[in-house]
Amino acid sequence: GNFPYFVDMGNCGGALITPDTVLTAAHCGDFTGRTLIIGGMTRGKVEGKAEVRFCEKYAKHPVYKNPDHPDVWNPNSEDYDYALCFLSYPVFIDQTRVRLEINTDNNNPAPNEDLTVMGMGNIESGVGNPDDRLKDVIVPALDNEKCNGRHYYMNAITDQMICAGFDDGRYDSCKGDSGGPVVKRVQQTNGKFIDYHIGVASIGAACGTK
């Protein structure tokens, strides 16, 4: 019940942002007609309170990798790397412990604030297969200017993106975590949590690279 909104999409992750809508990364590809597991904890398995649905309709951001928008399109960037899957029918998840909300504050997160990223991807860069179990890690938000100053991003970080990670590497998202939600968890006075959906896992320099 820690991340009831997480969606197992096989090779990627996603988040249930309304009862019939999943937000993921556009670079994960078209999921039309494919099976999704809402609330999945082990890749491909329906266990606990997990439920199966089909992606009935898929829509990626109209600007993503679209040269018809030369004013904003950057071929060296994963700008606008967002997509939606509209489900075959709704899922009403248990929100008694945690509720997901879309972030609407452009000042959120501030640099160095803790963010949580989750997924079923690899646990080491370039090594082995995905771990298959849902995992999460806390990483600090980074200033975009600082992130762009690192040689491996080559100014590919735009105003539509956020950066997160440790200066010395340590923990990170990895291959197979794409599309998974990046959230800022805020505890409420009643002990419950609101997870503000800040963004989706999109690009990175290997996994845990300094």
Side-chain angles (χ1 to χ4, degrees), residues 61-79:
H61 195 290
V63 174
Y64 178 72
K65 299 292 187 185
N66 188 347
D68 291 337
H69 295 269
D71 54 327
V72 292
W73 184 64
N74 179 353
N76 298 316
S77 171
E78 289 294 313
D79 211 5

Side-chain angles (χ1 to χ4, degrees), residues 73-144:
W73 184 64
N74 179 353
N76 298 316
S77 171
E78 289 294 313
D79 211 5
Y80 297 97
D81 187 13
Y82 294 100
L84 298 173
C85 267
F86 301 96
L87 304 181
S88 47
Y89 57 100
V91 179
F92 296 97
I93 59 175
D94 184 355
Q95 300 184 82
T96 54
R97 183 173 186 272
V98 57
R99 183 175 81 252
L100 185 70
E101 291 189 7
I102 296 292
N103 176 57
T104 58
D105 182 357
N106 289 334
N107 296 314
N108 198 16
N112 298 315
E113 282 192 311
D114 284 344
L115 301 177
T116 300
V117 60
M118 66 207 71
M120 298 179 176
N122 289 28
I123 57 172
E124 195 171 347
S125 183
V127 178
N129 296 315
D131 193 22
D132 288 340
R133 290 287 291 178
L134 180 61
K135 299 168 294 298
D136 65 279
V137 65
I138 296 175
V139 291
L142 288 177
D143 178 81
N144 279 18

Side-chain angles (χ1 to χ4, degrees), residues 130-193:
D131 193 22
D132 288 340
R133 290 287 291 178
L134 180 61
K135 299 168 294 298
D136 65 279
V137 65
I138 296 175
V139 291
L142 288 177
D143 178 81
N144 279 18
E145 184 176 351
K146 180 179 181 181
C147 199
N148 264 325
R150 300 178 178 196
H151 69 278
Y152 39 73
Y153 285 117
M154 299 168 56
N155 294 318
I157 307 303
T158 73
D159 291 341
Q160 284 71 242
M161 299 180 181
I162 60 163
C163 246
F166 291 96
D167 284 330
D168 58 354
R170 271 191 274 176
Y171 309 113
D172 199 0
S173 59
C174 203
K175 183 179 179 181
D177 292 327
S178 292
V182 181
V183 303
K184 176 183 172 181
R185 174 159 286 189
V186 179
Q187 187 168 11
Q188 307 301 295
T189 55
N190 59 6
K192 298 180 181 181
F193 299 94

